[in-house]
Each structure stands twice: as C-alpha cells, then as structure tokens.
Amino acid sequence: SATSGSAKSGSGGDAAASALSGEISIEGSSTVEPISIKAREKFSAMHPKVNISVSGQGTSNGYAALGRKECEICDASRPMKASEMKTLAENGVGFYEIPVAFDGLTIVVNKKNDFVQELTIEQLNSIFREDLAAKTWKDVNDAWPAEPIAIFAPGVKSGTHDYFVEAIGAKKENKPLRSDEQTTLSEDDKTLVIGVRESQFAIGFFGYAYFDANRDDLRAVPIVNPDTDKAVTPSFETIESGEYFPFSRPLFIVVSADAWQRGEVREFVDYYLGNAADLARAAGYVPLPDSIYQTARDHLDQEVMGTHFVDADGKAREGKLAEIYTTENVNK
C-alpha cells in the first residue's frame, strides 16, 4: 500500500498510490529549491492529489520552520548548527538528515571582466569581509583597475552565505561579510545573477546550478585550492572529486520524523531519495556516491534520526561527507 513505504524507488504506479493525497510543505534553501522542484514535478505527475509547496527563503529559515512544525521538509545547503539542533530537540521534533547532491559554490564576475583570471582565498577575504572590505579592484591587486567593486551576495539567512563565511576562514576569526553601500545582499539568487550581469565591475557567488543556467551571461572565476596552489574552475568533475576546494559542499533535505509517518510524505521522500542522482543532475548539481544514498536509505528504514555534523560536545564535525555521514556519527 502507499503507506507501507515499501516502494524503494518510489515508483508507486499502482492504483492505491495514485489515490494518495495530502499536503507537503518544503521550506529552506534557495540552492536546494531547484532539486525539490524537479522532485515535485515528477512526483506530482504520478500523484496529482498530493499538493507540494516549495519555498526558498534560506536554510536558516527552513530549520526554524521545521522547529515550529510549519513544514514537513527543510531544504538545507549547510548542515544544522548545534543551536538549531537544540531548538528542534526542545520542540520535540525528530528528524532524518538526507544528503541529496554536491554543489560547488561558484564565484562569478561580469562577462566583460577580463582582468580577474583567478582568485585566492586571501583575495576573497579582502573583497568580501567587513573588516577588510576592499573598495576598488586595485585594492585587491595593483595591476587591476581602480574601479569600485560591486558585490552581490546571498543574505544572512542563506546557508550559502554561512558556508562562504566558513570556507574562506572568516568564521574562525569571527568576521562577518560586508554589508556596506557597495554590497547587495539577497536571498533571491536571481537578483544576484542580474546584479552581476548588469554591472561590469561586479562580483557575486551562489550555487553552481544558478551559474550553469546563466553561463552565457556570467563567468565563473577559478579559485586557487590552498592545498595544491592550483586554480580550479568549478565543474561537475572538480566538484565531485573535491579538487574544487574549499567550495564543494553537500546539499540536504531534512525530514520531520512525525511527518515521515504519513503515507504521502513517506512516498515522496522515498521517491526523492530513490531518484536523487537523476534529480540532482536535472537541476544542474552533482550526484553523490551511491553508498551515501544507501546509508540515508538504511537510516530511514532503521529509524536512525539526528544530525551527523554536530558531535556530542556540540562541536561541528569537519571532513569529507563520506567520513562524516556514518551511522556511528549520528547525534540525536
């Protein structure tokens, strides 16, 4: 039956499944939103009576909505923080953490920008950090023009914003990103794309899929990998291999454990996970190794709830996804 969750691939083509009905609300990351929209499109074709809403108001907002029981699923472009885990526990919200794809956070400039051929982490700090806040391109590199830098970055509720702060090392030093008059912050990736496209001396960043969809209008800047000193351009290959460091990251859906007991949610999550690799590709992201999807499947089947990314002392775990996303590391 539709409620048994036996459909591992979520094919659910039988008469009972097509009679499936209900409401599913997905809140959170604008980066993960395109994958969830693909999942909704395919699933709705088979189960037209299940009404699925997808909203991309930022990862932080998604975790908050999950904690208030206002949504069944949170799209997340970063793992949850210890404080978010605590809020969920206090509100009695159990959850399953399911990685669905890899993303490469992509730094972009205007097509007419012919002087930025690559950027180091140090240069990214001088452009984006509030305490360094280079005014002109010349401030970053003497050979570059003395033109004001126009910055377009995700807003503070965005997981992409948080991830960038962490990746450039600003989080360790407790330094926020700039929000001055040269900076436009928005949770809407389309606003960022348009901003960089329309301004010759602009720079911005967002998920790889948004760059991929707009590559005719924008140029991705190769980033110098601090471990190898080689400038690496984001691509499916370099994101998957981890060469595009430190900006390769996993993307997640986080499912309410109570909601998972409902037939329509279970069927949808089964479908999403069973087809995650194809959905990721269709949305312009990189599929995860099959072993990761299998671990997520095992956790659902065995009711293993909690996050893998915060240890028992409340510290964030660091390392590769395959090392962190193990059953031993689950923290309830």
Side-chain angles (χ1 to χ4, degrees):
S1 79
T3 53
S4 71
S6 58
K8 289 288 181 255
S9 66
S11 55
D14 56 39
S18 57
L20 202 63
S21 64
E23 305 271 331
I24 303 173
S25 168
I26 305 174
E27 297 270 350
S29 165
S30 63
T31 305
V32 186
E33 187 181 14
I35 311 176
S36 290
I37 286 171
K38 294 282 180 200
R40 176 182 69 186
E41 283 169 7
K42 303 271 189 193
F43 187 81
S44 295
M46 297 183 291
H47 305 288
K49 292 180 187 152
V50 180
N51 185 24
I52 303 168
S53 65
V54 184
S55 163
Q57 300 298 309
T59 299
S60 298
N61 287 326
Y63 283 133
L66 196 69
R68 292 192 299 266
K69 305 181 184 179
E70 290 170 1
C71 65
E72 282 73 29
I73 298 169
C74 166
D75 282 346
S77 65
R78 61 161 175 79
M80 70 174 60
K81 301 169 181 172
S83 57
E84 289 163 333
M85 186 186 162
K86 187 165 170 270
T87 301
L88 288 162
E90 283 167 357
N91 294 343
V93 178
F95 60 89
Y96 296 99
E97 186 175 65
I98 303 172
V100 291
F102 277 129
D103 175 31
L105 194 151
T106 304
I107 290 90
V108 297
V109 292
N110 184 279
K111 270 274 163 108
K112 292 201 182 100
N113 181 325
D114 55 2
F115 53 90
V116 176
Q117 296 309 319
E118 61 183 49
L119 284 166
T120 64
I121 299 302
E122 193 179 31
Q123 288 172 323
L124 288 170
N125 272 284
S126 70
I127 293 168
F128 286 98
R129 248 167 67 167
E130 184 179 75
D131 59 324
L132 302 174
K135 295 289 183 205
T136 71
W137 285 104
K138 193 175 174 65
D139 294 338
V140 183
N141 180 328
D142 243 1
W144 294 347
E147 295 284 350
I149 305 171
I151 290 167
F152 294 87
V156 292
K157 294 289 185 191
S158 161
T160 303
H161 180 110
D162 290 346
Y163 189 85
F164 185 84
V165 174
E166 193 158 327
I168 65 170
K171 185 182 174 191
K172 278 196 179 104
E173 295 186 39
N174 211 10
K175 302 293 185 191
L177 298 193
R178 64 199 286 181
S179 56
D180 55 17
E181 67 286 346
Q182 286 179 233
T183 307
T184 302
L185 295 173
S186 174
E187 261 83 24
D188 182 359
D189 295 301
K190 294 179 195 72
T191 302
L192 306 179
V193 168
I194 293 163
V196 179
R197 189 184 73 202
E198 304 292 313
S199 171
Q200 186 177 345
F201 297 102
I203 187 169
F205 64 87
F206 33 73
Y208 181 75
Y210 284 95
F211 162 68
D212 200 39
N214 295 280
R215 60 169 65 236
D216 292 346
D217 298 325
L218 306 168
R219 182 162 68 79
V221 180
I223 301 301
V224 177
N225 178 326
D227 293 344
T228 63
D229 282 338
K230 286 212 308 236
V232 181
T233 306
S235 69
F236 268 46
E237 295 71 34
T238 61
I239 293 166
E240 187 174 23
S241 70
E243 282 170 88
Y244 184 61
F245 176 82
F247 291 118
S248 296
R249 59 173 177 168
L251 304 175
F252 306 87
I253 59 171
V254 182
V255 181
S256 152
D258 283 350
W260 167 249
Q261 299 303 321
R262 287 168 25 204
E264 73 278 16
V265 175
R266 186 171 288 230
E267 199 78 24
F268 176 69
V269 172
D270 277 346
Y271 176 81
Y272 202 136
L273 179 54
N275 296 278
D278 291 339
L279 295 168
R281 269 191 218 97
Y285 292 113
V286 179
L288 299 172
D290 288 342
S291 58
I292 301 272
Y293 294 132
Q294 187 56 52
T295 301
R297 179 74 259 165
D298 293 344
H299 288 179
L300 285 169
D301 291 346
Q302 294 154 21
E303 300 191 354
V304 178
M305 296 172 220
T307 181
H308 303 69
F309 293 85
V310 178
D311 68 18
D313 298 326
K315 291 200 169 59
R317 285 200 174 96
E318 291 179 8
K320 294 200 161 145
L321 179 63
E323 295 159 8
I324 295 174
Y325 194 75
T326 64
T327 309
E328 300 80 62
N329 279 341
V330 172
N331 181 355
K332 296 178 186 180

